[in-house]
């Protein structure tokens, strides 16, 4: 290992933190389809979106043409607390696998929230503050986004109201306490504190909640309280824009050593880390300069890309949010209760959906026991205890490296290690006790969710 020129960790200098985000949409010929107003089925205007989101974020959401957007100095200063994130050469994993493949991972878990979500949380909180708002509302599933937003809001002195999917609220009490330590107000969802929560509880008594329900509650609170707006941790174009910092740093680190990846792999929940990681690489691909294999990895129990439909759908269960054209399982879809690995959103970023539809990337689904096997193998040789979500990408990186072992190809594989799994020990415990099972939804299960897709007239 010692004669290798490439270090175990490729660090960038603080001054090399990107000064602009890259907006992938600017290089897309087929732009992602616009968000639609569910009442009129017409594209949402900036004015309509401004009732829910901060003004500057609305501009970013609707901007399909500006390739580079300045990162305000205040946000760059915050990034300096935990960035640049290291790009790690997984020498130990390569050796354990006996593969000729070269494996790299971009580690985004080096902050208290434990994931990449802080990259967008600070940006969204910053624009809310700049607009003079009192606070923001949001939902959180596994808890990483809520934690990240709480941290960002504490830093800027904003109020933060989080609706946390009930099953996580109960399974992850320490997540909740981290958020409260950062000053957030955390409510288990569905709750009796909102009209939509009451309605969902009346229809599904005893439900343990879903991201879709929690989104509906958070939006309701934002629009009914002056001085508040709603913020979302994934799916939206603005979030992919902020997360492009992951890919820009990754590319800068690889460029230092003249490394070109063959395969880029990321887990996909709503698509933000993947969209961010691949951004500059996809840009090159879209402009016809380079080619890469890009693979989205999703859970077999929540397979939006691989088994969903590319159609307009609601982003939330209460059907109050704008319609987004995306790969979706239907806004009524709730993954089976035994699903432990996160990535449980029914839809997918409109940008990634369009790119997948146009053949610029691949998608695959993996079962959770094999995901935790990969997590365990990775933890034991690379030292980091990975988040279950991130471990989806680890699974496929290992599988691709093992293919290289068979063929003798020295491919370069880059994957996103989005976070750490310290708050996921209930899932790890199940796995360690041999009590984790795989449930793959049947076609009938999926048909139920898809039957709820709204009918939307064809857009020109
Ligand atoms: C939220 C989260 C994800 C999935 O969200 P995306 O928007 O698809 O990136 C993946 N990994 C971790 C650690 C997360 O917290």
């Amino acid at each position: 290992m010692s004669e290798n020129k490439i270090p175990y960790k490729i660090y960038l200098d603080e001054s090399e933190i990107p000064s602009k985000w890259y907006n992938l949409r600017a290089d897309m010929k087929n732009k992602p389809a616009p968000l639609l107003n569910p009442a009129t089925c017409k594209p949402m205007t900036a004015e309509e979106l401004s009732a829910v989101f901060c003004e500057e974020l609305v501009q970013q959401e609707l901007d399909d043409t500006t390739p580079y957007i300045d990162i305000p100095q205040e946000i760059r200063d915050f990034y300096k607390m935990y960035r640049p994130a290291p790009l790690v050469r997984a020498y130990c994993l390569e050796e354990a696998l006996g593969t000729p493949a070269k494996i790299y991972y971009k580690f985004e878990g080096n902050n208290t929230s434990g994931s990449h979500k802080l990259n967008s949380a600070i940006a969204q909180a910053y624009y809310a503050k700049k607009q003079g708002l009192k606070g923001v509302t949001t939902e959180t599933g596994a808890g990483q986004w809520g934690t990240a937003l709480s941290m960002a809001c504490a830093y800027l002195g904003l109020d933060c109201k989080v609706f946390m999917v009930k099953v996580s609220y109960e399974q992850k009490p320490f997540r909740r306490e981290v958020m409260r330590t950062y000053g957030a107000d955390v409510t288990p969802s569905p709750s009796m504190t909102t009209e939509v929560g009451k309605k969902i509880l009346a229809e599904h008594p005893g439900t343990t909640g879903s991201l879709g329900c929690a989104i509906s509650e958070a939006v309701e609170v934002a629009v009914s309280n002056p001085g508040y707006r709603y913020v979302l941790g994934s799916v939206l174009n603005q979030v992919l824009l902020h997360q492009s910092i992951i890919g820009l740093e990754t590319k800068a680190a690889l460029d230092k050593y003249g490394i070109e990846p063959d395969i880029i792999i990321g887990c996909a929940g709503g698509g933000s880390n993947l969209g961010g990681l691949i951004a500059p690489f996809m840009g090159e691909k879209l402009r016809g300069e380079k080619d890469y294999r890009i693979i989205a990895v999703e859970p077999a129990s929540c397979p939006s890309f691989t088994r969903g439909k590319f159609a307009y759908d609601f982003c939330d269960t209460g059907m109050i949010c704008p319609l987004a054209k995306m790969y979706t399982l239907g806004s009524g879809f709730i993954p089976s209760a035994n699903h432990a690995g996160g990535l449980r959103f029914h839809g997918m970023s409109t940008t990634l959906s369009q790119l997948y539809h146009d053949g610029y990337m691949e998608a695959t689904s993996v079962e959770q026991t094999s995901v935790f096997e990969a997590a365990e193998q990775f933890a034991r040789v690379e030292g980091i205890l990975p988040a279950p979500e991130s471990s989806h990408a680890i699974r496929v990186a290992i599988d691709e490296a093992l293919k290289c072992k068979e063929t003798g190809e020295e491919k370069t594989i880059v994957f996103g290690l989005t976070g750490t799994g310290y708050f996921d020990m209930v899932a790890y415990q199940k796995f360690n006790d041999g009590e984790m099972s795989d449930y793959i939804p049947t076609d009938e299960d999926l048909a139920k969710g898809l039957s709820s897709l709204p009918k939307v007239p064809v857009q020109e």
Side-chain angles (χ1 to χ4, degrees):
M1 218 183 271
S2 56
E3 67 260 22
N4 247 308
K5 277 214 304 265
I6 296 165
Y8 188 86
K9 285 196 176 88
I10 307 180
Y11 278 111
L12 297 174
D13 214 68
E14 195 172 282
S15 64
E16 292 170 291
I17 294 178
S19 58
K20 293 168 196 298
W21 291 302
Y22 168 57
N23 180 10
L24 179 57
R25 287 166 285 161
D27 282 308
M28 290 170 69
K29 228 181 278 151
N30 296 334
K31 306 291 183 193
L35 297 171
L36 299 184
N37 180 324
T40 60
C41 285
K42 292 273 182 298
M44 291 288 290
T45 61
E47 199 188 335
E48 287 169 331
L49 285 169
S50 298
V52 180
F53 299 111
C54 309
E55 276 149 31
E56 198 132 352
L57 293 167
V58 168
Q59 295 312 318
Q60 294 181 358
E61 192 60 32
L62 296 175
D63 188 339
D64 279 349
T65 52
T66 311
Y68 289 95
I69 294 177
D70 283 336
I71 305 178
Q73 189 57 45
E74 292 87 338
I75 298 176
R76 292 191 73 207
D77 288 343
F78 185 87
Y79 282 163
K80 282 178 197 162
M81 286 200 279
Y82 67 101
R83 309 199 70 82
L87 181 73
V88 184
R89 172 76 183 267
Y91 283 118
C92 304
L93 180 63
E94 289 169 20
E95 196 175 309
L97 297 172
T99 175
K102 299 175 177 65
I103 308 173
Y104 295 85
Y105 56 89
K106 178 72 168 168
F107 181 47
E108 289 289 328
N110 249 337
N111 66 76
T112 295
S113 75
S115 82
H116 66 285
K117 293 207 172 66
L118 197 53
N119 302 333
S120 184
I122 186 60
Q124 297 192 47
Y126 168 80
Y127 291 117
K129 179 81 182 179
K130 202 174 151 207
Q131 195 176 319
L133 298 177
K134 269 191 247 165
V136 290
T137 72
T138 198
E139 76 298 325
T140 196
Q144 290 97 323
W145 168 245
T147 312
L149 189 67
S150 307
M151 289 173 70
C153 286
Y155 181 77
L156 294 168
L158 276 174
D159 186 37
C160 179
K161 296 186 193 303
V162 180
F163 286 87
M164 184 171 189
V165 176
K166 195 182 277 166
V167 61
S168 301
Y169 185 88
E170 284 161 4
Q171 274 198 357
K172 302 187 177 187
F174 294 155
R175 263 280 173 221
R176 188 172 84 209
E177 287 318 313
V178 179
M179 286 186 253
R180 291 180 59 208
T181 302
Y182 281 96
D185 172 53
V186 188
T187 308
S189 167
S191 76
M192 295 297 283
T193 67
T194 64
E195 292 312 311
V196 67
K198 286 180 204 161
K199 184 160 166 263
I200 291 166
L201 281 170
E203 282 165 17
H204 308 275
T207 175
T208 54
S210 70
L211 267 182
C213 297
I215 294 174
S216 298
E217 292 202 87
V219 171
E220 182 184 315
V221 172
V223 297
S224 50
N225 283 286
Y228 283 80
R229 291 292 185 281
Y230 167 71
V231 293
L232 179 60
S234 183
V235 186
L236 295 174
N237 293 327
Q238 57 188 271
V239 185
L240 268 73
L241 174 72
H242 307 146
Q243 295 297 356
S244 69
I245 190 142
I246 304 173
L248 292 165
E249 281 185 10
T250 300
K251 185 145 192 344
L254 291 172
D255 284 350
K256 277 198 170 181
Y257 289 88
I259 305 160
E260 291 207 356
D262 298 294
I263 309 175
I264 304 168
I265 299 166
C267 62
S272 74
N273 87 83
L274 178 65
L277 173 66
I278 67 175
F281 303 98
M282 185 59 91
E284 291 180 313
K285 196 165 163 155
L286 287 164
R287 296 188 301 269
E289 298 162 7
K290 294 268 171 66
D291 198 14
Y292 305 100
R293 257 188 88 196
I294 293 171
I295 310 176
V297 189
E298 57 186 17
S301 49
C302 192
S304 333
F305 267 136
T306 51
R307 295 176 70 197
K309 254 195 192 158
F310 188 39
Y312 268 106
D313 193 10
F314 290 95
C315 292
D316 64 324
T317 311
M319 303 187 177
I320 57 177
C321 286
L323 298 167
K325 190 176 180 193
M326 58 188 176
Y327 280 86
T328 178
L329 298 165
S331 61
F333 178 84
I334 295 182
S336 109
N338 83 343
H339 172 68
L343 309 174
R344 44 173 62 241
F345 187 58
H346 64 274
M348 185 56 65
S349 136
T350 57
T351 300
L352 293 188
S353 292
Q354 188 65 49
L355 290 167
Y356 178 64
H357 185 72
D358 291 341
Y360 286 101
M361 52 188 267
E362 306 167 29
T364 186
S365 72
V366 289
E367 292 169 32
Q368 65 177 358
T369 50
S370 79
V371 167
F372 278 81
E373 277 163 22
E376 184 188 82
Q377 186 173 18
F378 182 85
R380 289 182 186 178
V381 295
E382 288 290 324
I384 296 169
L385 180 80
E389 293 90 343
S390 324
S391 306
H392 288 72
I394 300 176
R395 171 76 274 160
V396 173
I398 290 178
D399 289 347
E400 289 297 329
L402 290 174
K403 279 185 209 160
C404 290
K405 185 176 178 177
E406 272 172 33
T407 60
E409 285 171 291
E410 292 183 24
K411 287 192 179 152
T412 297
I413 299 169
V414 174
F415 73 88
L417 188 69
T418 50
T420 46
Y422 302 122
F423 291 106
D424 297 283
M425 297 326 287
V426 172
Y428 272 97
Q429 180 182 19
K430 265 196 198 161
F431 176 73
N432 290 332
D433 288 342
E435 281 167 8
M436 182 173 278
S437 57
D438 293 316
Y439 179 78
I440 303 180
T442 62
D443 288 343
E444 289 80 66
D445 293 337
L446 293 185
K448 229 182 285 164
L450 291 170
S451 68
S452 66
L453 287 182
K455 305 242 175 328
V456 175
V458 178
Q459 306 290 306
E460 288 94 80

